Amino acid sequence: MTQSALPAREFASNVRALLKTESIGRSVRAYDTVSSTNTLAAEWAADDAPHGALVLAEFQTEGRGRLGRAWQAHAGLNLTFSVLLRPQLPPDRLGMITIAASLAVADAVDARATPLRTSIKWPNDVLLNGKKCCGMLLETARAPEGVAVVVGIGLNVNQDAFPDELSERATSILLETGQMTDRAHLLAEICRRLEHRMVQAGENPRMLRRLYMARMPDLGEPVRLRFSDRDGGIYGVPLGLDEFGGLIVETDSGRRVFHAGEVTRSPL
Ligand code: BTN
């Protein structure tokens, strides 16, 4: 779509004024147009960005989705951002970041969309009325010390239409509630909840898993799990999350745990 000069810096200072966090969102880089906020966050990580550094953009020209897909969102209407985390978690617990981030967004959207309640499609799609309003792409980044994780989040907020090929599956908070949402409040709220959930990911991962599983519509239902748009995937029944945030699936060849993929409802 065509681009106008959007006041990303002004938006960022509105967010800053609303922040109630210690680290997440305290350092911000804001752009009207970027290739991908994940790319910029990874570059900033190599340059010693602090834990919680936030890169936000009003428009991405090369937004990336999971499984090698593109992510497209209308300019100026949505939330398109990446948070850089230097988590105090053992490496085998990094999967819990997905759980923490999904819950942070789901809870923040719920607070705007009452009485609607979001669900979460493993690993990190947030759904409203069964349609996707938010996707996340988590990537590791090289940092001067230790591991850094880029949590890239695309949340459809005030977009009022989607291309025909997406409209069956994609939605926005506006389309489901009929109400415009103040994006700065929503982003500040996501930062606050993410900070809180990251502490819990270290201290009480069991509780986080329980909260996440309570939002999973596909537990106990036959699904197809795919790992790319080209493979046929495997069929099974998801039973829950293991202690590392992996999906436990009962398959024809026994119980297996997956750490990546995409779940779709499917008759067995
Ligand atoms: C998916 O559902 O496939 C994941 C979509 C992730 C999109 C966000 S938008 C901000 C960040 N920058 C990117 O290039 N991708 C993520």
Side-chain angles (χ1 to χ4, degrees), residues 175-192:
L175 284 172
E176 298 308 317
T177 63
Q179 311 263 336
M180 294 287 280
T181 294
D182 182 313
R183 293 181 307 140
H185 272 100
L186 183 56
L187 180 49
E189 188 59 12
I190 291 169
C191 291
R192 185 182 74 78

Side-chain angles (χ1 to χ4, degrees), residues 99-114:
I99 308 302
S102 305
L103 282 171
V105 171
D107 288 338
V109 171
D110 277 0
R112 303 275 141 189
T114 316

Side-chain angles (χ1 to χ4, degrees), residues 35-39 55 60 62-67 69-73 79-82 124-125 132 134-139 150-155 262:
S35 53
S36 155
T37 56
N38 269 31
T39 303
V55 177
Q60 297 183 120
E62 293 165 38
R64 299 197 299 275
R66 296 176 63 246
L67 308 182
R69 296 175 186 148
W71 179 264
Q72 286 167 350
L79 287 176
T80 302
F81 64 100
S82 302
N124 47 27
D125 287 351
K132 177 166 169 173
C134 177
M136 300 183 196
L137 178 66
L138 274 68
E139 297 177 310
V150 175
V151 181
I153 299 180
L155 174 55
E262 181 180 65

Side-chain angles (χ1 to χ4, degrees), residues 72-74 159-170 175:
Q72 286 167 350
H74 288 187
Q159 187 164 328
D160 65 359
F162 288 86
D164 285 348
E165 68 276 14
L166 284 181
S167 59
E168 291 281 297
R169 288 174 283 130
L175 284 172

Side-chain angles (χ1 to χ4, degrees), residues 223-236 256 258 262 264:
V223 299
R224 177 159 77 145
L225 195 67
R226 295 176 77 197
F227 310 98
S228 82
D229 285 331
R230 288 172 303 282
D231 69 42
I234 61 137
Y235 293 86
R256 295 172 63 185
F258 297 92
E262 181 180 65
T264 45

